[in-house]
Amino acid sequence: MATQYPELNPALEKFLLKQKIFFTGSAAATGRVNISPRPTTELRVMSKVQVGFLDYIGSGNETAAHVRQVPRMTIMTCAFEGAPRILRLYGTGATHQKGTESYNDLLTRFWEGSAPRNARAIVTLDVDMVQTSCGYGVPLFDYQGERDALTVWADARSDEKLVEYRKEKNSRSIDGFETGLIDPAEFR
């Protein structure tokens, strides 16, 4: 029931951007496999073979640590309403940390030059295969809205406190792998 494509086509792009949540999957050569939920509001289709998302401060930074070691990454979304479908994007991931030239360039081109204070990176995926499958086993859910808890949390902290938090929580993965965190002064 699965169908594979070499790139995103307009119908698949429309489906991808219509969903409210997507998941990233990554793993280093050893240690834990990570799967993270992300808001589709921050996902951008950059070309038929590249997507990216604005990555927020979190309690960990597994994706960044993993793609530094083994850059393979998968993005998956599925229909929780309407016709059933699962969409997976397989490829090579990369992180572009806040304060770097590549981050600033991508932010300007795909996010109108603006990001919330709690943004820490842009993660891109160079897609080498797109796959759809039936999604018959995916339950139906009603979307109620986006959560603002992370933005409220970040806005309640000074720039210095956010830098401290990133340094403490986002420098290493839970398996102790370096995330490539750049000098905290670059985040301001």
Side-chain angles (χ1 to χ4, degrees):
M1 291 200 262
T3 305
Q4 289 146 1
Y5 307 86
E7 61 189 26
L8 282 166
N9 62 41
L12 295 175
E13 179 179 340
K14 183 178 177 182
F15 173 81
L16 174 64
L17 297 177
K18 181 180 177 185
Q19 306 318 306
K20 306 298 185 208
I21 187 172
F22 69 98
F23 301 86
T24 58
S26 62
T30 61
R32 291 158 183 83
V33 173
N34 185 65
I35 302 168
S36 293
R38 315 271 183 178
T40 309
T41 56
E42 296 303 343
L43 181 68
R44 301 292 186 270
V45 174
M46 300 170 169
S47 75
K48 292 178 182 181
V49 293
Q50 187 179 53
V51 297
F53 60 91
L54 201 54
D55 187 33
Y56 295 149
I57 294 172
S59 56
N61 198 0
E62 304 308 297
T63 303
H66 291 165
V67 300
R68 286 189 77 209
Q69 290 190 23
V70 180
R72 66 186 173 173
M73 187 170 76
T74 300
I75 288 179
M76 187 212 71
T77 192
C78 51
F80 291 115
E81 59 187 21
R85 175 179 262 178
I86 298 171
L87 175 68
R88 291 180 181 91
L89 308 175
Y90 299 95
T92 303
T95 58
H96 309 268
Q97 290 194 44
K98 186 174 185 176
T100 65
E101 188 176 318
S102 62
Y103 173 92
N104 292 334
D105 176 59
L106 291 167
L107 188 69
T108 298
R109 292 189 312 152
F110 297 102
W111 284 269
E112 299 175 357
S114 178
R117 289 180 62 241
N118 56 328
R120 67 179 171 198
I122 292 172
V123 178
T124 55
L125 178 67
D126 292 335
V127 177
D128 60 41
M129 186 175 75
V130 178
Q131 179 179 319
T132 60
S133 56
C134 67
Y136 292 165
V138 176
L140 295 170
F141 286 101
D142 291 324
Y143 175 73
Q144 296 180 19
E146 297 294 320
R147 296 178 194 255
D148 66 352
L150 185 56
T151 301
V152 170
W153 175 88
D155 288 347
R157 282 150 183 78
S158 68
D159 288 343
E160 291 76 21
K161 289 292 182 188
L162 288 177
V163 167
E164 276 178 35
Y165 185 87
R166 279 189 287 254
K167 187 174 182 180
E168 178 186 343
K169 301 285 188 177
N170 297 164
S171 295
R172 292 187 172 275
S173 74
I174 57 177
D175 292 313
F177 304 135
E178 293 284 335
T179 63
L181 185 69
I182 58 175
D183 184 303
E186 297 278 343
F187 284 115
R188 296 188 185 152

